[in-house]
Amino acid sequence: MGFWDKVSNIDRRWIYLMVAVATFFPMIVVMQFPVELTPEAVQLYEAIDNLPDSSVVMLTFDYYPSAMAETRPMSIAALRHMFSKDMKVVTVSNIPLGGPTIAEDVTRSIAKEYGKEYGVDYVNLGYRANYVAVMHGLATSIESIFKADFTGTPLKDLPLMQDVKNYNDIEFIFVVADNATIDYWISIVNAQYNIPVGGGVTAVVAPKMYAFVEAKQLTGLLGGMKGAAEYERLVKISGSATRGMASQSLVHFLIIFFVIIGNVAYFVTRKHEKGQK
Amino acid sequence: MRNTLPVIIAFLAGIAMVISFFFNPERTVLGTFQENLLQWVTIVGGFTLVLGVFSIVRVNARAVSRRSDGWFYKLATVISVFAMAIPSIMPTSANSAFGKVFYSIFPISWAGAFGTGPDSIYDWLFNYVDSPMMETMFATLAFYIASAAYRAFRARSAEETLLLITACLVMLWRVPIGEALLRSIDVRIPDYINMFVMNGFNLSVQRGIIIGAALGMASMSLRILLGIERTYMGKG
């Protein structure tokens, strides 16, 4: 068996080992790279930044724990931006598993940094089943869908919710999602109720969103961990996404290297086989 | 009647939702009806979750009782369902009727452990068991993708070659080192990728898919409203 045959049939565990090394190496030897901004990320940042201070914004936590590496930094950076402008934040989740709990943990910890008070500066509505009905229902009355917040406190006992009755009282919706719920935020809430919607999504979902950005149905877009790192740069607070860029960079390079080596090995061995025939 | 009544309900509910979109929900009867209907939908949605829990417990409990293959994992599933659900639905105060009864039996100091709030049992299980497990499962994808990239991504034809080159360029563009590398070749390359690949080819294809799916969804909705499509009743 020649060299390229061996390369073609390499044990996959070597590949796994190389991916693991590429992932962990930047965590041990700290590496940081400058994150360039895309127009879509800047558009989203400016949309939030241009809102008047103390505006009410909705931040969604429509993602499962599995996608937290990409989406959680987006939520954190968005909250830092919103709280730094003294905005009132209403969080909601259309994901039963994890979304409301992530919202609770993330929002409370960031709110503490900015000295924000629950019920006055921010509220976590939690989750209700059937997101299409929820999105429609919030247009007429938030209280008709959410009688109480995530922890069971009636909305009538929360000062912030006395001024926030439906979408008309919300200036902007920042959707952070790892699934198709963002499609419905766009097609229902933006298209039918004319509320500006911005999006932070996983890298897998991002390509589809470019169509909505171009159609001005989505005001700005953060795609994957790179998008989160861009927003961290915009709010000038480096976080886990910026740190994660080093690992992601090395793994991307490694995968490109694998593709090239895999193809070279394939063509060399194929040529060799044809020559033997 | 068993077939006709659901079709009539589906037709009336669907038509009401379509028509009420054009009316002010705060001033018209139809708008109020729409609001009520949406509340019903969320309530029904809540029941489907209960049904889901009932179903997963029944299927797995049966497998455990019969000691079928992998029964131990099914037992873990059932235990996990109850471990997450029971503490989260326990009362967090003695204000409700259930709370009064519950905390007449158990000490009120236990209240912080229940519900779904910070530092509750549910919160702890989510943060330290559920979430790491889901993240780990998802993270293993990177290893499989790397292996697949090595073995399956082949430039056998012109189309495949084009796809591979585009994928490699986008992968480079999406990370800082790659973007810096592309900029070192020509400062405009990253902008070109964003403009022509993501906002060009990708956008046009995605738009075609979105419009196609929307038309399909509209025709399916129409079929349901008119009673042509009855698979939701378990009929072909």
Side-chain angles (χ1 to χ4, degrees):
Chain A
M1 186 184 271
F3 171 75
W4 289 108
D5 285 315
K6 284 181 185 171
V7 170
S8 277
N9 298 307
I10 191 172
D11 191 330
R12 70 180 62 190
R13 285 173 294 186
W14 287 110
I15 295 171
Y16 295 163
L17 180 68
M18 282 190 264
V19 174
V21 170
T23 307
F24 290 119
F25 183 71
M27 294 179 191
I28 299 160
V29 180
V30 178
M31 303 159 84
Q32 281 228 340
F33 303 103
V35 177
E36 299 292 332
L37 301 173
T38 54
E40 292 81 14
V42 175
Q43 187 190 8
L44 179 56
Y45 175 82
E46 286 177 351
I48 301 274
D49 210 55
N50 291 336
L51 293 174
D53 288 358
S54 306
S55 298
V56 178
V57 288
M58 180 173 269
L59 178 64
T60 80
F61 285 72
D62 292 345
Y63 53 90
Y64 290 93
S66 52
M68 279 212 296
E70 290 178 277
T71 47
R72 192 170 176 270
M74 292 177 192
S75 305
I76 291 173
L79 278 168
R80 287 195 166 126
H81 191 196
M82 291 163 185
F83 284 146
S84 70
K85 285 179 62 69
D86 285 328
M87 289 177 174
K88 310 290 180 194
V89 183
V90 178
T91 64
V92 68
S93 178
N94 289 299
I95 297 298
L97 181 60
T101 311
I102 300 167
E104 188 75 4
D105 292 344
V106 169
T107 315
R108 282 191 191 269
S109 66
I110 304 300
K112 201 182 279 181
E113 284 177 25
Y114 290 85
K116 299 296 177 187
E117 189 184 341
Y118 187 79
V120 177
D121 299 303
Y122 68 101
V123 163
N124 180 12
L125 293 176
Y127 164 81
R128 286 290 177 278
N130 201 325
Y131 51 81
V132 173
V134 169
M135 287 174 199
H136 274 297
L138 296 180
T140 47
S141 164
I142 293 174
E143 209 166 356
S144 69
I145 302 295
F146 293 92
K147 300 279 181 219
D149 71 352
F150 177 61
T151 54
T153 309
L155 292 198
K156 60 182 169 52
D157 296 341
L158 298 167
L160 173 59
M161 298 316 290
Q162 305 318 302
D163 302 323
V164 185
K165 297 297 178 192
N166 53 36
Y167 290 139
N168 293 334
D169 304 314
I170 293 170
E171 301 283 339
F172 192 88
I173 300 177
F174 192 134
V175 179
V176 183
D178 69 350
N179 55 70
T181 54
I182 188 163
D183 295 14
Y184 293 92
W185 282 110
I186 295 165
S187 63
I188 294 173
V189 182
N190 176 265
Q192 298 183 22
Y193 302 105
N194 206 24
I195 308 296
V197 173
V201 294
T202 50
V204 175
V205 179
K208 187 180 179 185
M209 294 300 119
Y210 281 86
F212 296 118
V213 175
E214 210 267 342
K216 295 184 173 54
Q217 289 180 297
L218 192 63
T219 313
L221 172 69
L222 305 177
M225 194 186 277
K226 166 75 171 10
E230 288 177 57
Y231 212 86
E232 284 177 355
R233 184 185 153 186
L234 286 162
V235 298
K236 297 180 181 67
I237 299 176
S238 175
S240 61
T242 309
R243 288 194 299 277
M245 276 293 95
S247 290
Q248 197 168 46
S249 294
L250 292 192
V251 173
H252 275 210
F253 269 90
L254 191 65
I255 289 176
I256 292 168
F257 172 74
F258 284 153
V259 169
I260 294 167
I261 291 292
N263 273 283
V264 170
Y266 169 73
F267 285 110
V268 170
T269 51
R270 199 173 69 161
K271 194 178 173 187
H272 182 68
E273 281 167 12
K274 275 184 183 172
Q276 281 182 335
K277 282 176 188 173
Chain B
M1 196 60 184
R2 281 180 63 189
N3 290 340
T4 313
L5 194 62
V7 171
I8 291 170
I9 293 171
F11 176 79
L12 291 176
I15 289 292
M17 288 299 290
V18 172
I19 296 171
S20 63
F21 173 72
F22 300 99
F23 292 89
N24 187 329
E26 287 163 11
R27 292 185 195 157
T28 57
V29 177
L30 210 55
T32 315
F33 177 67
Q34 182 209 30
E35 195 180 324
N36 290 333
L37 209 59
L38 289 170
Q39 283 184 37
W40 293 352
V41 173
T42 57
I43 292 165
V44 171
F47 277 106
T48 60
L49 287 179
V50 176
L51 190 68
V53 171
F54 178 74
S55 175
I56 199 169
V57 170
R58 196 180 62 164
V59 169
N60 287 287
R62 191 181 295 160
V64 171
S65 65
R66 290 176 184 169
R67 294 288 192 276
S68 55
D69 283 349
W71 68 270
F72 187 76
Y73 301 107
K74 296 178 194 310
L75 178 65
T77 304
V78 176
I79 292 171
S80 303
V81 168
F82 288 111
M84 290 290 276
I86 291 173
S88 67
I89 57 175
M90 289 294 117
T92 53
S93 71
N95 295 339
S96 63
F98 178 42
K100 275 178 194 152
V101 175
F102 188 81
Y103 289 111
S104 64
I105 303 166
F106 299 103
I108 191 74
S109 58
W110 288 14
F114 299 126
T116 53
D119 303 323
S120 60
I121 294 171
Y122 172 89
D123 191 52
W124 191 90
L125 285 171
F126 174 77
N127 282 321
Y128 300 110
V129 181
D130 186 34
S131 179
M133 283 198 301
M134 288 184 77
E135 286 178 81
T136 306
M137 288 297 290
F138 196 65
T140 53
L141 269 181
F143 295 88
Y144 292 125
I145 287 170
S147 178
Y150 188 72
R151 290 167 201 287
F153 296 172
R154 297 282 183 260
R156 291 189 190 92
S157 63
E159 292 90 338
E160 283 177 313
T161 310
L162 196 62
L163 187 68
L164 267 180
I165 293 170
T166 312
C168 289
L169 282 174
V170 171
M171 281 176 69
L172 282 175
W173 169 64
R174 290 305 294 171
V175 289
I177 315 175
E179 194 171 0
L181 183 75
L182 293 171
R183 276 189 200 283
S184 70
I185 298 165
D186 188 325
V187 77
R188 292 166 296 183
I189 292 177
D191 299 330
Y192 284 159
I193 293 173
N194 195 26
M195 198 186 302
F196 295 116
V197 178
M198 300 312 289
N199 280 298
F201 306 122
N202 166 65
L203 187 148
S204 54
V205 172
Q206 293 289 353
R207 188 167 283 169
I209 294 169
I210 293 166
I211 292 171
L215 289 173
M217 200 186 286
S219 69
M220 178 58 86
S221 303
L222 207 58
R223 283 171 62 87
I224 292 172
L225 287 185
L226 298 175
I228 302 165
E229 179 65 48
R230 298 182 180 199
T231 47
Y232 66 93
M233 289 191 289
K235 298 182 193 305

